[in-house]
Structure formats: C-alpha cells, structure tokens
Amino acid sequence: MSDEATDDGRPDLGDVPAAPPAGETPLRTPMTEAGARVRTPDPLALVIFGGTGDLTRRKLMPALWALRADGLLPEGFAIVGNSREEIGEDDFRERMRGALAEFDEEPDADDWAGFSRRIRYVHGSTDDPGTFNRLKQVLEEVERDCGTQGNRMFYLALPPSVIAQTAQGLGRAGLVTGAKDPAWTRIIVEKPFGRDLESAQGLNASLLEVFRERQIFRIDHYLGKETLQNLLVFRFANTIWEPLWSRNYVDHVQITVAESVGVEGRAGYYDRSGALRDMIQSHLLQILTLVAMEPPASYDADSIRNEKVKVLQSIPLLQGDDIGRWAVRGRYGASGKGGEDDRGYLDEANVPEGSRTETYAAVRLTVDNWRWEGVPFYLRTGKKLAGKQSEVVIRFRPAPHPIRDLVHCDSPAPNALVLHIQPDEGMSLFFEAKEPGIRGPLRAVSMDFDYNRAFGVESPEAYQRLLLDAMLGDATLFARRDEVEAAWTLVTPILEAWEREGEPEEYPAESWGPRCADELLAQEGRSWHQPTG
C-alpha cells in the first residue's frame, strides 16, 4: 500500500481491486420469481471469537437460528465459540439456548437438540498460541463429524485492540487457506475499523499480512437494514427518480441517526470513541455513499463499492476555519424532568472527570462532482435525543413560480422524500395539496410505503442478511479497505481539531440536540426535518 499523499492531502489508497480470479468469484445467487434466495452456502465451520459476549447473545445466535429456520444453513455446518471463560461445552450450549429464549424465542426441544450437537467451544485468550492450536484440533474434528469440508469463517466479535493479534494468531496456526486451496477461509471484522486514519491503515496492513482482501468482510450492520438495501433498487430500478436525483432538483440532503438512549453502561468504550467516530465515520458516511453514488456498471460487489469510494473521494476535506463552521458537537445533560435516570453524560458511571467526548455530532459535507455540485449533505447523530429515528431526507428545490392567486398562502413548501431506516422501515413522499374549500390553503400531505404492511412479513434482522452474504462470499454490503480509509480521511481532521480545543455544547436530554446544530443549517436558511419517532 502506498504511503504517498495526493495533492489535497489525502493518502494514496492505491488501485481498487481488479476482477477476482475465476476461482474466487462468488456465484450469482439464483432467485425465485418472488425474489427469494434458493441457494444455501457451502458447508462451513463458523468460529466466533467473543463467543460469550453480548453481540453473540443478542444478535449472532438469533440470526443463525433464523437462518436455520429458513433452511438457509448448509447441512455441513458447525459453530465453534471462543472466549477467555473457562466453561465447558455443555455450559456454552446452554448459554446459547438461553440467548435464543431471551432475545428471540424459546427453541423447540427437538430442534435445539439437533442444532446444539453442532456447537463446540474452545476457551483461551487470543494472545496465547495454545488457544489456536486447540482451535485447529477442534476444527479438524468438526470437519470430520459435521462435514464442513475445511471451509472456515472467523467472526471477530472482539475489542478493536485485539483484532490484529487474533488475525496474526490464525495465520501462525495455519488456519487460513491460500488462493489455490480447495477450501476457503473468510474473516468478519466488527467496527470500529481503527480510531483514525493512521490506526485504520495499520489495522488493514495487519489483516492483509494474513488474509487477502477478498477474504476480509468488514461488517457495518446498518448496511443490512432493508431500507438501505432497497435504496439501490429504489434509485436504479425506477426511472421516475433518476432525472430528479441531482443538483438540478435537489436542494439538500439530511441524514439523521437519532438515539433516545444514553451510553447504557458502555461509557468505558464510548468515552474513547464519541459520536463522530462511532457513527458518522461508519454508518452515516455509508448511507451518504448509497444516496450519492452513480449507477454502477454492474451490480457485483466491486462495481458497487467502486462507486461508493468515488463518492468519498469527491468530498472536500474540512480543514482550518471550515471545521469550526461546518462541524459541531454536543453533549447531553439532564432533561430537568427528574427521576433516577435523569442525568447528564458527565454524571454517567465510568465517565472520567473532565471528559470532552461528544455525544452529538453534526457536519455539513459536499460532493464535488457533476451530479451533486453545490448540494449540501447534512449529517447528524446523537444520544439521549427526543426519539429513536434513522432517516434520509431528500429535500427538493422549491417550485419556481408562486401560486398565490390560487390559494391564500405563500409559496408552497418544497417537496421531500424521506427514507425511513429504523425503527419503521419504509418511505414517504411529501408534497403540497389544497385543502377543500374555495381558495383553501395548501397543506403538506404524504404518500407512504411501509415494508411490513406492503409485504406482510417482518424485515429480517440485519445480521441475518449479513451473515448469510458472508457465508455466500457476497461482499456487496461490506466495506472494502479503500472505502474505510477514505472515510477516515474525511473524519480525522475534525477529530484532531476537536481534541486540540473547545468543549461540546450541552443540550438537554430528550431534546433534538444542541443549539449549534440548528445554527449549522440556519447559516444557509435551512432547518432540520424533525423525525416523528
């Protein structure tokens, strides 16, 4: 990887990957007429590092159980958990059954009995070579007993500080297959992918010493959400939107990820991260790329990710005085309503005295290319806000000519398209209509699309889709090395400026954030679209 910098101060991220060798190209997934998957993955052993952790209990086991119920796990399948806890295999299985009962549903006894026989456990730290030797022995056993055919997927549900050493341990133990081996190996890495550009580059370099880029699946669970998956279909399968999707008709774009909860006992992690690192660098910039990208030449993983990287590389860096003008931060205080849980961030357990970590961040970015020149993209995220809501708002330009002679009102409000990401996935198109009556006033009305109501089924959990795609070798919804580093390139100058000086502006819990966030848009005569959740 080149360390040279480009003229605008960005690191040279190198060439995007060439087309994969024929032996590494995932097969296109056959589809039924209804669009359902009909191909199950190859036989494999799924190794979960951090097997007794919260992510495994809350998300991974329920997702795997759902895939089993849908018939999407192969006959040759095994789960191998790993953690430092010295527990027996039966204890680990019972914990996994308890996780399903708590976060999904109580499993049927017969179904669980058959499934649990495919679950194994290896205890030990990832800094101990003996752990990988024991793991290698267990993988050889499950290959014989469960028919996994030597295919392995390693899920690193681990703190960022031990990702590199775990990957290196797998390599030294001979657990990673080469390009010419008949069996395959893949690794899934959870965010955050580093703390800044330099650490992200270091992490990627460590991973690439052991794994090829096509074996690395950097997971961002937001990309597994139904609305974001459907965004490409919405844009590129419906010709009515493409003529409007540019600076000619779009005034600005807002991307909001609002959380109603605080740090929920995770202050030890969160205080080292903050809203900009935790959310904007990953989730919100990923959403921006899907909104702004050009139609890909084809819909394979690399073609789509190539277009996403082009968007990130088209965003000018915020530097100097522009950071103070276009990037703002806040920190929640008490709401003032009283109660045991009504406390500000600095009063949360395990938050160090004098912390300057932000719990709210908002930035204004632009995409300097032919399609989006001059269109601002406003990104915001925060904790302890007035509601839990994630959405994208495409605000169109106002109508060019007033119609005051027809109705008793000023000019009509601009149209807006709102993509609801969570909790209720769907879309709303807002436009103006005249109220009944002679020369009645205008009122904003909407046409709404709700996934669950339209299709009569609940959207699958994000991890269900992402685990299946990784098993199938489809990397479309996973971040590539150059994509991760391009995102950190944009965020790192802001982080460095905030670390040098200033304090987050306090905002009351259960509000929509600090005053400086409203002023960010007011500079250009705009205001935030407030979610209804």
Side-chain angles (χ1 to χ4, degrees):
M1 179 165 50
S2 172
D3 293 325
E4 297 180 0
T6 58
D7 291 340
D8 65 356
R10 302 171 190 261
D12 180 5
L13 298 179
D15 296 332
V16 296
E24 293 189 31
T25 304
L27 295 173
R28 301 291 292 183
T29 303
M31 310 294 281
T32 66
E33 289 184 358
R37 294 178 181 271
V38 295
R39 185 167 69 92
T40 57
D42 297 334
L44 78 148
L46 171 62
V47 180
I48 304 177
F49 290 94
T52 59
D54 197 54
L55 178 65
T56 302
R57 294 173 57 251
R58 287 177 174 269
K59 298 296 184 181
L60 301 185
M61 276 305 300
L64 291 167
W65 187 250
L67 290 173
R68 180 212 61 86
D70 291 339
L72 292 172
L73 290 182
E75 286 294 325
F77 181 74
I79 298 171
V80 181
N82 162 262
S83 80
R84 294 183 177 186
E85 290 193 62
E86 291 193 40
I87 60 174
E89 221 158 60
D90 289 340
D91 289 337
F92 179 68
R93 290 176 178 137
E94 184 58 25
R95 289 196 189 189
M96 297 301 99
R97 190 203 63 78
L100 294 178
E102 183 178 359
F103 299 108
D104 188 39
E105 61 181 8
E106 182 71 43
D108 176 81
D110 291 338
D111 287 346
W112 176 250
F115 188 72
S116 66
R117 285 194 291 269
R118 299 177 177 274
I119 298 177
R120 304 292 301 273
Y121 182 73
V122 176
H123 88 271
S125 171
T126 57
D127 61 3
D128 178 8
T131 300
F132 296 97
N133 293 332
R134 291 191 295 273
L135 175 61
K136 185 174 185 179
Q137 181 180 348
V138 170
L139 287 172
E140 290 171 353
E141 291 173 4
V142 298
E143 182 177 348
R144 180 182 64 248
D145 298 341
C146 300
T148 59
Q149 298 182 12
N151 298 320
R152 300 158 184 167
M153 189 162 77
F154 300 106
Y155 199 119
L156 273 55
L158 295 170
S161 58
V162 298
I163 295 296
Q165 77 176 28
T166 305
Q168 297 289 333
L170 291 169
R172 285 192 293 268
L175 290 170
V176 182
T177 55
K180 296 182 179 180
D181 290 326
W184 52 257
T185 304
R186 298 175 189 135
I187 186 170
I188 301 179
V189 182
E190 277 277 347
K191 67 174 280 285
F193 314 117
R195 283 182 50 81
D196 53 21
L197 177 59
E198 183 179 2
S199 61
Q201 290 174 325
L203 175 58
N204 281 331
S206 295
L207 291 172
L208 289 168
E209 288 177 4
V210 182
F211 296 89
R212 301 183 304 283
E213 176 62 31
R214 294 190 178 280
Q215 294 176 297
I216 304 171
F217 289 70
R218 301 171 186 85
I219 192 168
D220 184 340
H221 73 272
Y222 251 66
L223 293 184
K225 294 187 180 295
E226 198 71 42
T227 302
L228 292 183
Q229 294 177 45
N230 205 43
L231 180 55
L232 297 181
V233 176
F234 178 77
R235 285 191 57 192
F236 302 133
N238 298 289
T239 57
I240 61 173
W241 298 114
E242 181 58 25
L244 307 179
W245 214 264
S246 73
R247 60 187 174 85
N248 295 326
Y249 293 97
V250 175
D251 179 77
H252 70 278
V253 178
Q254 298 180 21
I255 301 174
T256 295
V257 177
E259 299 181 273
S260 59
V261 298
V263 293
E264 294 190 303
R266 298 172 63 242
Y269 159 76
Y270 193 84
D271 198 72
R272 296 191 300 271
S273 177
L276 188 67
R277 277 190 177 96
D278 189 43
M279 299 295 288
I280 288 183
Q281 184 275 333
S282 54
H283 299 335
L284 279 81
L285 282 177
Q286 284 286 336
I287 297 170
L288 186 155
T289 61
L290 292 175
V291 173
M293 64 180 276
E294 293 297 317
S298 63
Y299 289 91
D300 61 89
D302 271 337
S303 295
I304 290 174
R305 295 189 295 181
N306 288 347
E307 297 303 330
K308 291 169 67 181
V309 171
K310 289 178 186 177
V311 172
L312 294 172
Q313 293 175 337
S314 298
I315 299 175
L317 302 181
L318 292 181
Q319 295 177 316
D321 293 342
D322 282 343
I323 293 176
R325 183 180 182 189
W326 299 123
V328 301
R329 54 183 164 158
R331 179 177 60 219
Y332 67 80
S335 69
K337 296 180 179 180
E340 183 180 347
D341 295 328
D342 187 22
R343 54 181 176 266
Y345 178 74
L346 294 179
D347 297 319
E348 298 278 12
N350 299 319
V351 172
E353 185 177 354
S355 170
R356 293 166 55 198
T357 298
E358 79 284 353
T359 63
Y360 181 104
V363 297
R364 175 196 184 272
L365 302 173
T366 57
V367 180
D368 285 1
N369 61 20
W370 183 272
R371 181 183 293 269
W372 296 113
E373 178 68 31
V375 177
F377 286 73
Y378 300 102
L379 283 60
R380 64 170 172 169
T381 184
K383 289 188 174 293
K384 279 280 185 86
L385 297 180
K388 176 182 179 179
Q389 191 79 21
S390 300
E391 65 180 25
V392 178
V393 179
I394 313 293
R395 181 72 72 176
F396 294 97
R397 294 186 181 278
H401 187 70
I403 57 171
R404 298 187 186 95
D405 293 341
L406 294 179
V407 293
H408 293 300
C409 71
D410 294 328
S411 297
N415 304 136
L417 175 67
V418 181
L419 311 176
H420 307 287
I421 301 170
Q422 71 171 18
D424 300 315
E425 295 179 289
M427 303 174 188
S428 298
L429 178 63
F430 290 87
F431 56 95
E432 294 290 276
K434 188 183 79 66
E435 290 189 7
I438 300 173
R439 294 169 65 85
L442 295 182
R443 191 175 79 179
V445 297
S446 66
M447 292 192 297
D448 302 305
F449 164 64
D450 179 274
Y451 279 103
N452 295 344
R453 287 201 303 266
F455 297 111
V457 295
E458 293 287 329
S459 297
E461 284 292 322
Y463 278 96
Q464 185 177 339
R465 169 66 187 268
L466 293 169
L467 278 170
L468 179 60
D469 280 359
M471 292 177 190
L472 290 166
D474 184 349
T476 303
L477 300 179
F478 296 83
R480 202 169 61 192
R481 171 188 61 87
D482 51 350
E483 194 176 342
V484 169
E485 295 180 14
W488 276 119
T489 299
L490 297 171
V491 166
T492 297
I494 304 173
L495 289 169
E496 292 173 345
W498 286 357
E499 289 168 358
R500 285 194 301 268
E501 59 186 23
E503 288 277 345
E505 179 184 312
E506 187 165 293
Y507 60 94
E510 301 181 31
S511 70
W512 279 113
R515 186 184 304 109
C516 58
D518 294 329
E519 294 169 351
L520 177 70
L521 271 69
Q523 295 180 68
E524 299 178 297
R526 300 184 177 101
S527 60
W528 292 107
H529 175 273
Q530 299 302 14
T532 57

